[in-house]
Amino acid sequence: MINKLDVLFAENNINGRLALVSHRSLINMYGEVIASSLNKISNNVTVIEIPEGEEGKSIQTLMKIYDSLIENSFDRWSTVIV
């Protein structure tokens, strides 16, 4: 299904800026497939890597995500995939 995200998003009129938020292990396993699928519907795909486990569940991680979204001009019509 992850290689068909473009179809799912297109059917639901999701386009524009897209952010993929995940940790390194999942990005290494699936990031390229997901980004390739999402690039079919948007040329604005941002990958935000966060720490794994409990370390990733922090205010610092949340601030990193927010900073990246702001730096990449995300707005209310953008989509974040976690």
Side-chain angles (χ1 to χ4, degrees):
M1 184 64 175
I2 63 172
N3 61 336
K4 298 290 184 190
L5 286 175
D6 57 314
V7 175
L8 177 67
F9 280 34
E11 288 174 349
N12 291 285
N13 200 28
I14 298 171
N15 51 35
R17 295 187 187 284
L18 303 170
L20 172 62
V21 180
S22 188
H23 56 78
R24 182 176 304 232
S25 296
L26 287 176
I27 290 172
N28 288 342
M29 285 191 291
Y30 304 109
E32 189 174 307
V33 173
I34 293 171
S36 174
S37 181
L38 296 177
N39 280 322
K40 293 177 185 174
I41 60 167
S42 175
N43 60 357
N44 292 308
V45 178
T46 300
V47 177
I48 303 171
E49 186 178 314
I50 60 172
E52 294 189 37
E54 293 302 311
E55 183 183 347
K57 300 173 188 171
S58 68
I59 296 297
Q60 291 79 16
T61 299
L62 181 60
M63 294 309 298
K64 176 184 176 180
I65 294 168
Y66 284 156
D67 288 344
S68 183
L69 295 174
I70 291 166
E71 288 169 12
N72 288 285
S73 303
F74 277 71
D75 58 27
R76 69 174 68 196
W77 296 279
S78 303
T79 302
V80 178
I81 306 157
V82 181

